[in-house]
Structures are given as structure tokens and as C-alpha cells.
């Protein structure tokens, strides 16, 4: 009887292992807070210069963060933000060299390359690291 009980306990432990090892994923608010840690918000702007943009990062269901030099510009879309996730490719059609709060960004599925919708951009809030005082 003891070997059967030991086998059952071992089986139960194996079944529970994936739950115990499940990777914790931060909420979108926590992800954004970590990204902006140590930075100070500036006055929102309507446009950013695309030719200075280094990269962009999606915060699932919440925001798009654009990196321009040492400044992070956070855009919380006015519409469609719930469609944003890691599986989205951002496609922008701009007129000129700026991305503005009146623009829309199309979303393409990274795996199938099918359109997924779009987001209507809001204002861009700059976040910078405060200058160290001597």
C-alpha cells in the first residue's frame, strides 16, 4: 500500500509543478511604473519627431512608449488601447516627419500578418530623469 501512496503523491506533485512554476506577469500599470521608475513627467505635447525616435514599446492594453534619446514619451491612446499587446506590429502612416495626437496607428498580428484594428493616439507625455544637483 505504501508504494501506491508514494506513487500518487509523486504524481500529484508533478501535476502541481506547472502551477507553482507559472511565471508572474506584472499588470500593465506595474509594467509602466517600472519603465518610468526614477523619471519625472513633463508637459504633454501633441507631436513627436519620428526621425529622432529610437524605438517603441507596447504596454498591453494601456499605452505605447516611444524612446527619443533619453526621454520616454508615453502615449495612452484615446481609443483602441485594449487591442494593444506584445503580438501587435505598429504601422503608422504620417504626413511629414512627426507622429501626432490626431494620428491613428494600425495594428497587425505578428503571427498571421492580418490586420487587428487600430488605435487613436492621445497626447505624448515626456518622462525624463531629473538632473543630479551638486
Amino acid at each position: 500500500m505504501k508504494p501506491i501512496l508514494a506513487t500518487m503523491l509523486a504524481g500529484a506533485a508533478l501535476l502541481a509543478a506547472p502551477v507553482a512554476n507559472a511565471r508572474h506577469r506584472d499588470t500593465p500599470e506595474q509594467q509602466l511604473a517600472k519603465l518610468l521608475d526614477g523619471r519625472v513627467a513633463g508637459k504633454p505635447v501633441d507631436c513627436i519627431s519620428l526621425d529622432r525616435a529610437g524605438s517603441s514599446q507596447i504596454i498591453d492594453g494601456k499605452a505605447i512608449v516611444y524612446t527619443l534619446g533619453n526621454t520616454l514619451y508615453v502615449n495612452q491612446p484615446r481609443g483602441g488601447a485594449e487591442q494593444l499587446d506584445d503580438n501587435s506590429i505598429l504601422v503608422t502612416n504620417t504626413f511629414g516627419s512627426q507622429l501626432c495626437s490626431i494620428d491613428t496607428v494600425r495594428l497587425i498580428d505578428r503571427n498571421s500578418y492580418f490586420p487587428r484594428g487600430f488605435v487613436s493616439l492621445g497626447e505624448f507625455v515626456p518622462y525624463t530623469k531629473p538632473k543630479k544637483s551638486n
Side-chain angles (χ1 to χ4, degrees), residues 25-47:
R25 184 170 176 117
D26 291 337
T27 65
E29 290 77 15
Q30 291 170 327
Q31 290 174 24
L32 189 57
K34 282 182 182 179
L35 188 64
L36 300 176
D37 186 38
R39 294 179 178 268
V40 178
K43 182 180 175 186
V45 296
D46 287 323
C47 299

Side-chain angles (χ1 to χ4, degrees), residues 59-108:
I59 305 296
D60 289 358
K62 179 127 182 105
I64 304 169
V65 180
Y66 296 91
T67 303
L68 280 79
N70 293 325
T71 304
L72 300 180
Y73 286 86
V74 177
N75 190 291
Q76 293 190 19
R78 291 176 284 133
E82 67 280 354
Q83 299 177 70
L84 291 170
D85 65 25
D86 289 341
N87 201 35
S88 299
I89 297 172
L90 305 174
V91 180
T92 57
N93 293 330
T94 60
F95 302 97
S97 63
Q98 292 191 321
L99 185 62
C100 296
S101 59
I102 61 171
D103 292 328
T104 59
V105 176
R106 291 185 296 131
L107 305 174
I108 305 293

